[in-house]
Amino acid sequence: MSQVRSMIVVVLVVPAVIAFSLWAFLWPSARLAPRDLPLGVAGATAAVAPVKAQLEKREGAFEVHGYPDAAAARTAIKEREVYGAVVVTDRGPRLLVASAAAPTVAQLLTESLGERDGRTVPTEDVVPLPENDPRGTALNSSALPMALAGIAMGAAVSTLGLRGLRALVTVLAAATVIGLVAAAVTDSWLGALAGDWWAEAGAFALAALAGGATVAGFAALLGPAGIGLGALVIMLLGNPFSGVTSAPQLLPEPVGTLGQLLPPGAGGSLLRSVAYFDGHGVAGPLATLGVWTVLGLALVLLGPVLRARRTADASAAAGAPA
């Protein structure tokens, strides 16, 4: 009977996991569209009114922010308040984009707003990507290795039998080394990032630490099943919902919001901010990664105690008289 049950589990559970994985990875990518995408409009009030009206007709597509002039719009883009801006002048409209914020969004804005009355609108890339990585491939591709690094780190700590303070120190040390190696590859070797080297290393390290601490904490509390739960959170949900390869505002809701509350999404946003925007917009990602890290490390320390107490209570209940 046990073998029959195992056969049923393999036949039903494995396809269910594959179906869930396909949904998680393919559905958000197949439904990319602007959803309350922050976009600026700059210029005199009377001049920008028709542009605002035109943008607001696309219900739910753009979250329009007004600015007095092009300089204010550029500042807002550099500080990650908006992805781009339409500047209305006496000579006609101009489009400001930031390919470093999201190449997909820059392309979308250029295609949808880069032509007016049959004429091409002049476009300026306010925050371009580095020449060595003009498509942003390196940062986009970093999400998966960081997710795998966190899962591998947490699983290794659990399977090697590290507990308590030793597990905590190991996770911290491994995340630090991962951050240094990742910055050395992406910045020093490939030249794909353009920010402060140590800030980039810290962003990589914190992203790996949040994922590793989460997996190790779940494993300390639940045993081997915790590794599977951590992998579900980090890989099957966090990675496809991260919005690193597009933008959170292009993903269907609630996926876009959820992804920024998980380590891969927060880690990608943090790295983008320190690599291209001088640290603007790091508060939210730092808070998210900090929460996951603190909770994960707390479980690493307290998980074995809670697990032992739960086992003892179950044994006592099983041995109690009816």
Side-chain angles (χ1 to χ4, degrees), residues 215-234:
V215 175
F218 285 162
L221 181 65
L222 304 174
I227 298 176
L229 177 60
L232 172 66
V233 171
I234 303 300

Side-chain angles (χ1 to χ4, degrees), residues 25 137-152 178 182 204 207-208 211 231 234-245 263-265 267-268 271:
F25 278 87
T137 305
L139 190 147
N140 293 347
S141 301
S142 68
L144 179 58
M146 288 299 101
L148 292 174
I151 295 172
I178 288 172
F204 277 122
I234 303 300
M235 180 59 68
L236 291 185
L237 294 180
N239 193 56
F241 294 176
S242 67
V244 173
T245 58
L271 180 59

